Amino acid sequence: MKRLLASLAVALATVALVSAQATRQVSLVIANGIVVTVDGASRIVSPGSIAIDGRDIVAVGMPDEIRRQFRGRQTIDATGQVVMPGLINTHTHAPMVLFRGLADDLALEDWLTKYIFPAEAKTVSPEFVRAGTRLAALEMIESGTTTFADMYYFEEEIAKETRGAGLRGVLGETIIQFPVADAKTPGEALIRAQAFIKEFEHDTLITPAVAPHAIYTNDTQTLKNARMLSIQYSVPTLIHAAETQAEAMTAQERGSPTVVSYLESLGFLGPGVLLAHGVWVNDSDMALIKMRGVGVSHNPESNMKLASGIAPVKAYLAANVAIGLGTDGAASNNDLDMFEAMRTASFLAKVATSDPTAVSAKTALQMATIGGARALGMDKTIGSLEPGKRADIIIVSMSAARQTPMYDPISHLVYVTRGDDVQTTIVNGQVLMRNRKVLTLDRAAVLRESRTWADKVRAAVRP
Amino acid sequence: MKRLLASLAVALATVALVSAQATRQVSLVIANGIVVTVDGASRIVSPGSIAIDGRDIVAVGMPDEIRRQFRGRQTIDATGQVVMPGLINTHTHAPMVLFRGLADDLALEDWLTKYIFPAEAKTVSPEFVRAGTRLAALEMIESGTTTFADMYYFEEEIAKETRGAGLRGVLGETIIQFPVADAKTPGEALIRAQAFIKEFEHDTLITPAVAPHAIYTNDTQTLKNARMLSIQYSVPTLIHAAETQAEAMTAQERGSPTVVSYLESLGFLGPGVLLAHGVWVNDSDMALIKMRGVGVSHNPESNMKLASGIAPVKAYLAANVAIGLGTDGAASNNDLDMFEAMRTASFLAKVATSDPTAVSAKTALQMATIGGARALGMDKTIGSLEPGKRADIIIVSMSAARQTPMYDPISHLVYVTRGDDVQTTIVNGQVLMRNRKVLTLDRAAVLRESRTWADKVRAAVRP
């Protein structure tokens, strides 16, 4: 009997050894989910598992296959849940969450000049943008956004909070002609932008960028200077462009028929430029955008709410322009939920073109992930679940009554899922939220301090 | 000392007695909420309380005021939460939740003839509609809908489940020219409809109705017979009308330029008629709708998803037509969330008219409550929080990151709130859900049996 036990022990030890040799230890395994890769073949592995080591995805495959090859120091079971790339919000103004619902149902110009600009003039400070970014980061983590492109003031403060929350950001320091909270002149703003770029150019999570606000808020020289700065440092240029019909007047005053043709005349257009909105573009604008390798951020909810117009998304897709989705700032949306952006992008394109096949659920999902990555020039590192890419991953519950039954996970992700269904959010291999508990921010404190800031905003806009 | 205590006791007893005489015992008090009444003056009482006795609201006022006058056998504290009228979904097909996401991104005709009609032919039965109605009821209770207007087959089975779940329903037995699951001929359907009306005409929660499917699925005589039946019993008539542009061809073949003018030529239009969709109407159609006291159900998400067109909501509102909101069936939406219907109605009207003031948050909220009640001819009993009306009330959380900070509860209800924020749902004074726990349905069983039905649906549409 003793002998039998002894040989059993040897046998077990051998199995353990063989197993240890065959399997590789990795930091995290997500097991048994409905893995929606959004890769080139739109592969869905269900059930599927993902092995993550450090910041990277090392394998995506069937659960057995992954189990044979990898052991996770941590394992997250995702049975019945969708595992997908984190959502990429290609246009927002994070701290403006502190203005959400402050002034609705107004024309863009009134909204900007009567409410937002005055409120900003009296409240925006490093402390304000930090508090606002924490609230926005909380909302983004809780709704499955893992990367966001931002344009605001004191962007270096936004960068610090973004890094603290663990999110990935393409963050543009605003360049604007008139005096604003962080710069009295555009020259000063350019100096700030340069310092910001130098501080963050080697950061893992932050890509610094230059963000000339728009053509109607900058003169020709400032636009050129801003673009030159970003070319000098090989960082992205973010700009509002062709958002409203009225914007073309500025271009026309400066001798070009459209916003895009005016930017072209300045030598502004090229890879690394992201146009936010791109609503009012004609065929030759579209050809320029494509030819110059410019990205577009489509913001359907903001465009609808502010009645700016309907972007020709079907045409952008047909032209194979790199187009992603954005929420815009929460002052004009009024939230940062990218699931709503997907749904609205699909619905709006269908009704605008009288074509119910215009932007399918699959296309909307691509725009919110790999499309956004392309628009930001980051599709080699994020936007899909593929070995070698960064582990920017979300796990989404599919058990609500409104998600029952489920014939097609892609349909459900776009048409019936909300940000609140996201259970777990991972960026660069770090778990930022697990089972709805945010790990990188003190939720109660963030909400409390946001309410305190709101009191100051109320005082600022009181007539 | 003893004497002092004794007189104190007497004094206290007297206070208690006076207080008992002055206060009235009621079944339920909802205390300390942000009470959004949607009454004629759009009154918001914050903080505010509501006294409910049996099925009725007996008082709405400030917490002190209500406390002095009423004692609730049950009290629900609503501090920091919105208390508002339950949402009224003026157009759906409840059991079609079992088809949600089955076939997306298709033209209406393909979707109907290639997927929905074949799937229905093979699966729709009394058991199917009961299971589907339980799932829909679960979703509606969980997302704050308290009344819904329905058009489907075996409507008497839908009625039984609706009553069981505790929801209020205006339920239309479908009349259609071709053989369907519950009737081989329209004559048979009319007989079924009559029996259904007789069975439910005195029900507290159910208003039976007649639902000729549309003009393109019924001949002239059937449309007339259906309308006559509802006039005979003074019950509503529900019909799909002017949903797609193609629908006018049927009217034109029958000698009228538009769907609405054709219905007028039959003597069909009058109080009690609800037109679902009403997208393709011209000025004289609109004048007819107003003159005849006809209601309209606006379904922005379905119209967008199926690319049917954009209803002239701003014009309906300007003409003071009784217009409510609907989700349509979950096969074309794909959920029953009326908060999304509000948001989409507002966004779509703004962008369609290039007017960001077109449908304000306040107007969207009115459409989803009192507007829907008017469209259904029920505005004397539901649609706002006023003494004497039925206690159809929802309590909505406002504590999500996306709802922080809060400058205006109406803005938040329309632009950042989802059905999942509803905490408590009350219909006719009965609490159907309390703190997200549904009390009238076995949630797990409803979801389980829905998945079983989905297997049968999958088998039915397999090529």
Side-chain angles (χ1 to χ4, degrees):
Chain A
M1 181 68 185
K2 240 183 189 173
R3 217 174 134 177
L4 186 69
L5 280 175
S7 45
L8 192 65
V10 170
L12 282 171
T14 311
V15 168
L17 192 69
V18 168
S19 154
Q21 285 173 329
T23 65
R24 171 178 159 196
Q25 182 169 287
V26 292
S27 51
L28 175 63
V29 169
I30 301 171
N32 306 314
I34 302 160
V35 179
V36 176
T37 64
V38 200
D39 67 7
S42 298
R43 198 163 58 117
I44 297 176
V45 189
S46 178
S49 297
I50 302 183
I52 295 154
D53 202 28
R55 62 172 202 183
D56 292 330
I57 296 170
V58 292
V60 178
M62 285 181 297
D64 279 355
E65 201 182 320
I66 298 296
R67 205 180 302 115
R68 270 199 305 275
Q69 296 179 60
F70 302 96
R71 272 170 307 121
R73 275 194 296 278
Q74 195 186 350
T75 299
I76 297 177
D77 180 73
T79 303
Q81 301 183 314
V82 165
V83 181
M84 60 177 279
L87 298 166
I88 297 173
N89 186 345
T90 54
H91 181 62
T92 192
H93 312 284
M96 294 186 85
V97 288
L98 293 175
F99 298 131
R100 79 168 97 232
L102 175 66
D104 293 302
D105 310 327
L106 296 164
L108 177 65
E109 214 183 301
D110 285 350
W111 173 79
L112 271 180
T113 58
K114 294 189 186 160
Y115 292 87
I116 297 304
F117 287 156
E120 285 182 342
K122 290 189 196 161
T123 56
V124 173
S125 65
E127 297 70 32
F128 176 93
V129 305
R130 291 187 80 129
T133 304
R134 284 192 290 270
L135 177 60
L138 179 67
E139 189 185 345
M140 288 191 276
I141 293 169
E142 287 188 343
S143 58
T145 292
T146 54
T147 294
F148 70 106
D150 196 76
M151 299 170 66
Y152 210 58
Y153 310 109
F154 300 109
E155 203 70 36
E156 65 286 356
E157 304 294 334
I158 294 173
K160 287 170 201 157
E161 291 295 337
T162 300
R163 197 160 59 180
L167 286 170
R168 199 180 294 284
V170 177
L171 307 180
E173 189 83 70
T174 290
I175 313 294
I176 202 160
Q177 207 69 31
F178 54 85
V180 288
D182 67 348
K184 287 202 184 65
T185 64
E188 210 178 292
L190 285 161
I191 291 167
R192 288 183 60 87
Q194 186 175 30
F196 170 55
I197 292 167
K198 284 182 174 170
E199 187 178 352
F200 287 91
E201 62 184 337
H202 303 300
D203 198 90
T204 312
L205 291 173
I206 307 302
T207 302
V210 184
H213 176 270
I215 69 159
Y216 59 92
T217 47
N218 282 296
D219 68 21
T220 299
Q221 195 52 52
T222 302
L223 291 168
K224 283 183 178 171
N225 292 345
R227 180 65 186 136
M228 263 154 45
L229 180 65
S230 49
I231 289 170
Q232 188 188 339
Y233 287 92
S234 300
V235 298
T237 310
L238 313 177
I239 186 169
H240 293 100
E243 178 177 6
T244 67
Q245 194 170 18
E247 224 175 297
M249 285 194 304
T250 304
Q252 286 154 15
E253 284 162 13
R254 299 181 193 174
S256 294
T258 64
V259 174
V260 171
S261 60
Y262 167 63
L263 288 171
E264 171 70 4
S265 76
L266 305 185
F268 192 99
L269 301 180
V273 172
L274 182 76
L275 306 182
H277 300 295
V279 173
W280 296 93
V281 292
N282 61 25
D283 289 352
S284 63
D285 293 336
M286 179 111 26
L288 276 172
I289 288 169
K290 175 63 189 158
M291 186 175 70
R292 295 294 180 210
V294 165
V296 173
S297 171
H298 173 45
N299 296 255
E301 294 166 279
S302 169
N303 296 160
M304 292 177 83
K305 184 159 183 277
L306 299 175
S308 307
I310 300 177
V313 175
K314 194 177 156 184
Y316 278 124
L317 292 166
N320 198 25
V321 166
I323 181 168
L325 296 182
T327 58
D328 206 345
S332 60
N333 182 318
N334 294 348
D335 58 43
L336 306 178
D337 188 335
M338 284 290 293
F339 285 92
E340 282 208 338
M342 284 197 272
R343 183 160 48 253
T344 309
S346 172
F347 282 3
L348 183 60
K350 290 171 194 296
V351 79
T353 59
S354 304
D355 174 6
T357 70
V359 171
S360 66
K362 181 180 159 184
T363 302
L365 179 64
Q366 287 172 336
M367 289 171 75
T369 53
I370 192 69
R374 274 182 73 206
L376 293 168
M378 299 170 82
D379 49 316
K380 289 211 166 43
T381 52
I382 58 169
S384 60
L385 302 182
E386 295 179 79
K389 283 200 173 182
R390 297 304 90 76
D392 289 11
I393 301 174
I394 59 176
I395 306 177
V396 187
S397 166
M398 285 284 146
S399 60
R402 67 184 142 69
Q403 294 169 315
T404 306
M406 178 163 65
Y407 296 103
D408 174 359
I410 308 294
S411 165
H412 269 20
L413 285 173
V414 174
Y415 297 129
V416 299
T417 297
R418 293 102 173 78
D420 296 1
D421 295 318
V422 176
Q423 300 300 306
T424 295
T425 301
I426 299 166
V427 175
N428 217 42
Q430 186 192 0
V431 180
L432 309 186
M433 177 172 77
R434 175 110 191 232
N435 297 329
R436 293 298 298 164
K437 179 160 175 47
V438 175
L439 306 173
T440 51
L441 289 160
D442 177 345
R443 188 174 198 283
V446 169
L447 298 182
R448 197 171 47 240
E449 69 185 0
S450 300
R451 293 186 186 113
T452 305
W453 276 104
D455 292 336
K456 294 178 192 172
V457 171
R458 272 186 205 98
V461 297
R462 203 163 286 149
Chain B
M1 182 67 183
K2 240 184 187 170
R3 214 172 135 176
L4 187 68
L5 280 176
S7 45
L8 192 64
V10 169
L12 282 171
T14 312
V15 168
L17 192 68
V18 167
S19 154
Q21 285 172 331
T23 65
R24 171 178 158 195
Q25 181 168 288
V26 292
S27 51
L28 175 64
V29 168
I30 301 172
N32 306 315
I34 302 160
V35 180
V36 175
T37 64
V38 200
D39 67 6
S42 298
R43 197 163 58 117
I44 297 177
V45 189
S46 179
S49 298
I50 302 183
I52 294 154
D53 203 29
R55 63 173 201 183
D56 292 329
I57 296 169
V58 293
V60 178
M62 286 181 297
D64 279 356
E65 199 182 323
I66 298 296
R67 206 179 303 115
R68 272 198 303 276
Q69 294 179 60
F70 302 97
R71 272 170 306 123
R73 275 192 298 276
Q74 196 186 351
T75 299
I76 297 177
D77 181 73
T79 302
Q81 301 183 314
V82 165
V83 181
M84 60 177 281
L87 297 165
I88 298 173
N89 186 344
T90 53
H91 181 62
T92 192
H93 313 283
M96 293 185 85
V97 288
L98 292 174
F99 298 131
R100 78 167 100 230
L102 176 66
D104 293 301
D105 309 326
L106 296 165
L108 177 66
E109 213 182 302
D110 284 351
W111 173 79
L112 270 180
T113 58
K114 292 187 187 159
Y115 292 86
I116 297 303
F117 287 156
E120 285 182 342
K122 288 187 196 162
T123 56
V124 173
S125 65
E127 296 71 32
F128 176 94
V129 305
R130 292 188 79 130
T133 304
R134 284 192 291 270
L135 177 60
L138 179 66
E139 190 185 346
M140 288 191 277
I141 292 169
E142 287 188 342
S143 57
T145 292
T146 53
T147 295
F148 70 106
D150 196 77
M151 299 169 67
Y152 211 58
Y153 311 108
F154 300 110
E155 203 69 39
E156 65 286 356
E157 305 294 333
I158 294 173
K160 286 170 200 158
E161 291 296 338
T162 300
R163 197 161 59 181
L167 285 169
R168 199 179 296 284
V170 177
L171 308 179
E173 189 84 72
T174 290
I175 313 294
I176 202 160
Q177 207 70 31
F178 53 84
V180 286
D182 68 348
K184 288 201 186 64
T185 64
E188 212 179 289
L190 286 162
I191 290 167
R192 290 184 58 87
Q194 184 174 31
F196 170 54
I197 294 167
K198 284 182 173 171
E199 188 179 351
F200 287 92
E201 62 184 334
H202 303 299
D203 198 273
T204 311
L205 291 173
I206 307 303
T207 303
V210 184
H213 176 271
I215 71 159
Y216 59 91
T217 47
N218 282 296
D219 68 20
T220 299
Q221 193 55 51
T222 302
L223 291 167
K224 283 184 179 172
N225 291 344
R227 180 64 185 136
M228 262 155 45
L229 180 65
S230 50
I231 290 170
Q232 187 188 339
Y233 288 92
S234 301
V235 297
T237 310
L238 312 177
I239 187 168
H240 293 100
E243 178 177 6
T244 67
Q245 194 169 18
E247 224 176 298
M249 285 194 302
T250 304
Q252 285 153 15
E253 283 162 13
R254 298 180 193 175
S256 293
T258 64
V259 174
V260 171
S261 61
Y262 167 62
L263 288 171
E264 171 71 3
S265 77
L266 303 185
F268 192 99
L269 301 180
V273 172
L274 183 75
L275 306 182
H277 301 295
V279 172
W280 296 92
V281 293
N282 61 25
D283 289 352
S284 62
D285 292 336
M286 180 112 24
L288 275 173
I289 288 169
K290 176 63 188 159
M291 183 175 71
R292 295 295 181 207
V294 164
V296 172
S297 172
H298 173 47
N299 296 253
E301 294 167 278
S302 170
N303 296 161
M304 292 178 84
K305 182 159 185 276
L306 299 174
S308 307
I310 300 177
V313 175
K314 194 177 156 184
Y316 278 125
L317 291 167
N320 198 24
V321 166
I323 182 168
L325 295 180
T327 58
D328 206 345
S332 59
N333 181 316
N334 295 344
D335 60 40
L336 306 178
D337 188 335
M338 283 291 293
F339 285 92
E340 284 209 335
M342 284 196 273
R343 182 159 50 254
T344 309
S346 172
F347 282 3
L348 183 60
K350 291 171 193 300
V351 79
T353 59
S354 303
D355 174 6
T357 70
V359 171
S360 66
K362 180 180 159 185
T363 302
L365 179 65
Q366 287 172 335
M367 287 171 76
T369 53
I370 192 69
R374 273 181 74 204
L376 292 169
M378 297 169 83
D379 49 317
K380 290 213 163 44
T381 52
I382 59 171
S384 60
L385 303 183
E386 296 178 78
K389 283 198 173 182
R390 295 304 90 77
D392 289 11
I393 301 173
I394 59 176
I395 305 176
V396 187
S397 167
M398 284 285 145
S399 60
R402 66 183 142 70
Q403 293 169 317
T404 306
M406 178 162 68
Y407 296 103
D408 175 358
I410 309 294
S411 166
H412 269 20
L413 286 173
V414 174
Y415 297 129
V416 298
T417 298
R418 294 100 173 79
D420 296 3
D421 295 318
V422 175
Q423 300 300 306
T424 295
T425 301
I426 299 166
V427 174
N428 217 44
Q430 187 192 1
V431 180
L432 309 187
M433 177 172 77
R434 174 108 191 234
N435 297 329
R436 294 300 295 167
K437 181 163 173 44
V438 175
L439 306 173
T440 51
L441 290 160
D442 177 344
R443 189 175 198 283
V446 168
L447 298 182
R448 197 169 49 240
E449 68 185 359
S450 300
R451 293 185 185 115
T452 304
W453 276 104
D455 292 336
K456 294 179 193 172
V457 171
R458 272 185 205 97
V461 296
R462 204 163 284 152

